[in-house]
Coordinates of all heavy atoms in Angstrom, one line a residue:
M17 N 83.0 121.3 115.1 CA 84.1 121.1 114.0 C 83.5 120.2 112.9 O 83.9 120.5 111.7 CB 85.3 120.3 114.6 CG 86.2 121.2 115.4 SD 86.8 122.7 114.5 CE 87.8 121.8 113.2
A18 N 82.6 119.3 113.2 CA 81.9 118.6 112.1 C 81.2 119.5 111.2 O 81.3 119.3 109.9 CB 81.0 117.5 112.7
K19 N 80.5 120.5 111.7 CA 79.8 121.4 110.9 C 80.8 122.2 110.1 O 80.4 122.5 108.9 CB 78.9 122.4 111.7 CG 77.8 121.8 112.5 CD 77.0 122.8 113.3 CE 75.7 122.0 113.9 NZ 74.7 123.0 114.4
W20 N 81.9 122.5 110.7 CA 82.8 123.3 109.9 C 83.4 122.5 108.7 O 83.3 123.1 107.6 CB 84.0 123.8 110.8 CG 85.0 124.7 110.0 CD1 84.9 125.9 109.8 CD2 86.2 124.2 109.4 NE1 86.0 126.4 109.0 CE2 86.8 125.3 108.8 CE3 86.8 123.0 109.4 CZ2 87.9 125.2 108.2 CZ3 88.0 122.9 108.6 CH2 88.6 124.0 108.0
Y21 N 83.7 121.3 108.9 CA 84.3 120.5 107.8 C 83.2 120.1 106.8 O 83.5 120.2 105.6 CB 84.8 119.1 108.4 CG 86.2 119.3 109.0 CD1 86.3 119.1 110.4 CD2 87.3 119.3 108.2 CE1 87.6 119.1 110.9 CE2 88.7 119.4 108.8 CZ 88.6 119.3 110.2 OH 89.9 119.3 110.7
A22 N 82.0 119.9 107.2 CA 80.9 119.6 106.3 C 80.6 120.8 105.5 O 80.4 120.7 104.2 CB 79.7 119.1 107.1
G23 N 80.5 121.9 106.0 CA 80.2 123.2 105.2 C 81.2 123.5 104.2 O 81.1 123.8 103.1
R24 N 82.5 123.3 104.7 CA 83.7 123.6 103.8 C 83.7 122.6 102.6 O 83.8 123.0 101.4 CB 85.1 123.4 104.7 CG 86.2 123.5 103.8 CD 87.4 123.4 104.8 NE 88.8 123.4 104.2 CZ 89.5 122.4 103.9 NH1 89.4 121.3 104.5 NH2 90.6 122.6 103.3
F25 N 83.5 121.3 102.9 CA 83.4 120.4 101.9 C 82.2 120.5 100.9 O 82.4 120.4 99.7 CB 83.4 118.9 102.4 CG 83.6 117.9 101.3 CD1 84.6 117.8 100.4 CD2 82.5 116.9 101.3 CE1 84.7 116.8 99.5 CE2 82.6 115.8 100.4 CZ 83.7 115.8 99.4
A26 N 81.0 120.9 101.5 CA 79.9 121.1 100.6 C 80.0 122.2 99.7 O 79.7 122.2 98.5 CB 78.6 121.2 101.5
D27 N 80.6 123.4 100.2 CA 80.9 124.5 99.4 C 81.8 124.2 98.3 O 81.7 124.6 97.2 CB 81.4 125.7 100.3 CG 80.3 126.2 101.2 OD1 79.2 126.0 101.0 OD2 80.7 126.9 102.1
Y28 N 82.9 123.4 98.7 CA 83.9 123.0 97.7 C 83.3 122.2 96.5 O 83.5 122.5 95.3 CB 85.0 122.2 98.3 CG 86.0 121.6 97.4 CD1 87.1 122.2 96.9 CD2 85.8 120.3 97.0 CE1 88.0 121.6 96.2 CE2 86.6 119.7 96.1 CZ 87.7 120.3 95.7 OH 88.6 119.8 94.8
L29 N 82.4 121.2 97.0 CA 81.8 120.3 96.0 C 80.9 121.2 95.0 O 80.9 121.1 93.8 CB 80.9 119.3 96.6 CG 81.6 118.1 97.3 CD1 80.5 117.3 97.9 CD2 82.4 117.3 96.3
A30 N 80.1 122.1 95.6 CA 79.2 123.0 94.8 C 80.0 123.9 93.8 O 79.6 124.1 92.6 CB 78.4 123.8 95.7
E31 N 81.1 124.4 94.4 CA 81.9 125.3 93.5 C 82.7 124.7 92.4 O 83.1 125.2 91.4 CB 83.0 126.0 94.4 CG 82.2 127.1 95.3 CD 83.2 127.5 96.4 OE1 84.4 127.3 96.4 OE2 82.8 128.3 97.3
N32 N 82.9 123.3 92.6 CA 83.8 122.5 91.7 C 83.0 121.4 90.9 O 83.6 120.5 90.3 CB 85.0 121.9 92.4 CG 85.9 123.1 92.9 OD1 86.7 123.6 92.0 ND2 85.8 123.4 94.1
A33 N 81.7 121.5 90.9 CA 80.9 120.4 90.3 C 81.1 120.2 88.8 O 80.9 119.1 88.4 CB 79.4 120.7 90.6
D34 N 81.6 121.2 88.2 CA 81.9 121.0 86.7 C 83.3 120.5 86.4 O 83.7 120.4 85.3 CB 81.6 122.4 86.0 CG 82.5 123.4 86.6 OD1 83.0 123.4 87.6 OD2 82.6 124.4 85.8
R35 N 84.2 120.3 87.4 CA 85.5 119.9 87.3 C 85.6 118.3 87.3 O 85.3 117.7 88.2 CB 86.5 120.5 88.3 CG 86.5 122.0 88.2 CD 87.5 122.6 89.3 NE 88.8 121.9 89.3 CZ 89.4 121.7 90.5 NH1 88.8 122.2 91.7 NH2 90.5 121.1 90.6
D36 N 86.2 117.8 86.3 CA 86.3 116.3 86.1 C 87.2 115.7 87.3 O 87.0 114.7 87.7 CB 87.0 115.8 84.8 CG 86.0 116.0 83.7 OD1 84.7 116.1 83.9 OD2 86.4 116.1 82.4
E37 N 88.2 116.5 87.7 CA 89.1 116.0 88.7 C 88.5 115.7 90.1 O 89.1 115.0 90.8 CB 90.4 116.8 88.9 CG 90.1 118.3 89.1 CD 90.2 119.1 88.0 OE1 89.9 118.8 86.8 OE2 90.2 120.4 88.2
I38 N 87.3 116.3 90.4 CA 86.7 115.8 91.6 C 85.9 114.5 91.5 O 85.3 114.1 92.4 CB 85.8 117.0 92.3 CG1 84.5 117.2 91.5 CG2 86.6 118.2 92.3 CD1 83.5 117.9 92.3
F39 N 85.9 114.0 90.3 CA 85.1 112.7 90.0 C 86.1 111.6 89.5 O 85.6 110.4 89.4 CB 84.0 112.9 89.1 CG 82.9 113.9 89.6 CD1 82.8 115.1 89.0 CD2 82.1 113.6 90.6 CE1 81.9 116.1 89.5 CE2 81.2 114.5 91.0 CZ 81.0 115.7 90.5
E40 N 87.3 112.0 89.1 CA 88.1 110.9 88.4 C 89.5 110.9 89.1 O 90.2 111.8 89.2 CB 88.3 111.3 87.0 CG 87.1 111.2 86.1 CD 87.2 111.8 84.8 OE1 88.4 112.0 84.3 OE2 86.2 112.0 84.1
Y41 N 89.8 109.6 89.6 CA 91.1 109.4 90.4 C 92.3 109.7 89.4 O 92.3 109.3 88.3 CB 91.2 108.0 90.6 CG 90.7 107.5 92.1 CD1 90.2 106.2 92.1 CD2 90.7 108.3 93.1 CE1 89.8 105.6 93.4 CE2 90.3 107.8 94.4 CZ 89.8 106.5 94.5 OH 89.5 106.1 95.7
P42 N 93.3 110.4 90.0 CA 94.7 110.3 89.4 C 95.2 109.0 89.6 O 95.4 108.7 90.8 CB 95.4 111.5 90.0 CG 94.7 111.6 91.3 CD 93.3 111.2 91.2
R43 N 95.5 108.2 88.7 CA 96.1 106.9 88.8 C 97.6 106.8 88.9 O 98.3 107.6 88.1 CB 95.5 105.9 87.7 CG 94.0 105.8 87.9 CD 93.7 104.7 88.9 NE 92.2 104.6 89.0 CZ 91.7 103.8 89.9 NH1 92.4 103.3 90.9 NH2 90.4 103.6 89.8
S44 N 98.2 105.9 89.7 CA 99.6 105.6 89.6 C 99.7 104.4 88.8 O 98.7 103.7 88.6 CB 100.1 105.5 91.1 OG 100.1 106.5 91.8
E45 N 100.8 104.2 88.2 CA 101.0 103.0 87.4 C 102.2 102.2 88.0 O 103.1 102.7 88.6 CB 101.3 103.4 85.9 CG 100.2 104.0 85.3 CD 100.5 104.4 83.9 OE1 101.4 103.7 83.2 OE2 100.0 105.3 83.3
R46 N 102.0 100.9 87.8 CA 103.1 100.0 88.2 C 103.9 99.7 86.9 O 103.3 99.0 86.0 CB 102.6 98.7 88.8 CG 102.1 99.0 90.2 CD 101.7 97.7 91.0 NE 102.9 97.5 91.9 CZ 102.9 96.5 92.6 NH1 101.8 95.7 92.8 NH2 103.9 96.3 93.4

């Protein structure tokens, strides 16, 4: 299962490396 999650996440990172939202938090405000 670790291999499955790791592969899934690595593929996701590689496919989305040009998207700002995988590097910048969506913030909530008070």
